Amino acid sequence: MRGPLFYSKILLFGEYGIIKDSKGLSIPYNFYNGALKTPEEKTPLTEASTAHLVRFSGYLRGLVVQDEISVTFDLDRLDSDLSGGMYFDSSIPQGYGVGSSGALVAAIYDGYAHQKITVLENLTREKLLELKVIFAQMESFFHGKSSGLDPLNSYLSLPILINSQDHIEPAGIPSQTNKSGGAVFLLDSGITGETAPMVEIFMEKMKHEGFRNMLKNEFVRHTDSCVDDFLKGDVTSLFGNIKQLSKVVLDHFQPMIPKKFHGLWQKGLESNAYYLKLCGSGGGGYMLGFTQDLAAAQTALKGHKLEVVYQF
């Protein structure tokens, strides 16, 4: 048995800000994917995944029994499949900010939810919000707190525009070109990050009025402008706002940036060869880079691994 593929995602804009109602833009990233699968032969790797899914199944059973989720699952069939060794066969790197747990959640919902909302339906705002809430409850097993956006993106395999916490919609993004030589890329930090500790640091910072003011007046403002510029295809304005956003993150989100990349981050701001921002919660994994000249960015970042995800 092999289930359908669910893809990784990239939150282009909105990390942390969407907690405080900034805009956000999330896109599927088809380079990585995962699917539920029954192995021909069990290995320590498949068995570890199966054991993880068994715990997840128990968590879902608890949500259903306590009436804490608006959907029910065929958990007996899920448990039966797990007893047969089913696991999540995934190429999505964990702790890298590209939605490894989101794809798993999407796969379980797709395979085992009763009366599931499907991609083929007319996806009204209400249905999208219902899915987001369900996915947030499911994914909280992995992160302690989830927005539900990663599984939503993976499940729908569509770009998602977050206007606010209760206003989300599928988005049309400009077609990729490679005319200008500009690109969005992933920069590998070489270390894994954990979401929960980073969110904890953020929530601690939010207790301080100065940080809250900065978030509202600078971080959210630049994030919203980046989303608007990207969707309009206004590259000139986009890069002006990304530079400002990158600077704000370096100044105020340093714990989320691996220390060895602080200098590289600053170098991009000074040279204008590229601008870096967080990809997900930070602390490791990937960082997102934006450049108007990919060749120049590759030269400036020689020795580092870049993965192009979008070209202007």
Side-chain angles (χ1 to χ4, degrees), residues 5 16 19 41 57 59 83 92 98-99 109 118 125 202 227 237 260 270 290 300 302-303:
L5 289 175
Y16 293 109
I19 296 173
E41 195 174 313
S57 175
Y59 169 78
S83 67
I92 307 170
V98 287
Y109 177 85
T118 71
R125 182 170 154 185
F202 174 77
V227 171
S237 180
K260 64 178 181 178
E270 290 172 358
F290 290 76
K302 193 174 180 183

Side-chain angles (χ1 to χ4, degrees), residues 198-247:
M198 295 297 108
V199 172
E200 205 173 298
I201 290 170
F202 174 77
M203 297 313 286
E204 191 61 35
K205 282 176 171 284
M206 284 297 292
K207 293 177 182 177
H208 302 283
E209 186 181 359
F211 186 84
R212 291 197 302 272
N213 289 337
M214 175 282 303
L215 197 78
K216 178 183 175 183
N217 299 325
E218 297 180 57
F219 187 80
V220 168
R221 180 165 59 88
H222 293 311
T223 296
D224 287 357
S225 296
C226 284
V227 171
D228 293 340
D229 290 340
F230 189 90
L231 292 175
K232 285 187 295 190
D234 188 342
V235 175
T236 303
S237 180
L238 172 66
F239 275 88
N241 280 305
I242 286 173
K243 182 173 185 177
Q244 293 302 317
L245 182 60
S246 181
K247 188 175 187 312

Side-chain angles (χ1 to χ4, degrees), residues 45-103:
L45 206 63
T46 68
E47 288 179 340
S49 174
T50 303
H52 196 49
L53 287 173
V54 167
R55 291 192 293 275
F56 185 43
S57 175
Y59 169 78
L60 293 178
R61 194 175 290 276
L63 287 181
V64 172
V65 167
Q66 292 163 34
D67 203 23
E68 291 179 0
I69 193 165
S70 65
V71 67
T72 58
F73 301 89
D74 190 344
L75 293 172
D76 290 340
R77 181 165 60 87
L78 173 57
D79 289 343
S80 173
D81 289 344
L82 290 172
S83 67
M86 185 179 74
Y87 72 107
F88 191 58
D89 183 24
S90 174
S91 64
I92 307 170
Q94 293 183 18
Y96 263 67
V98 287
S100 55
S101 60

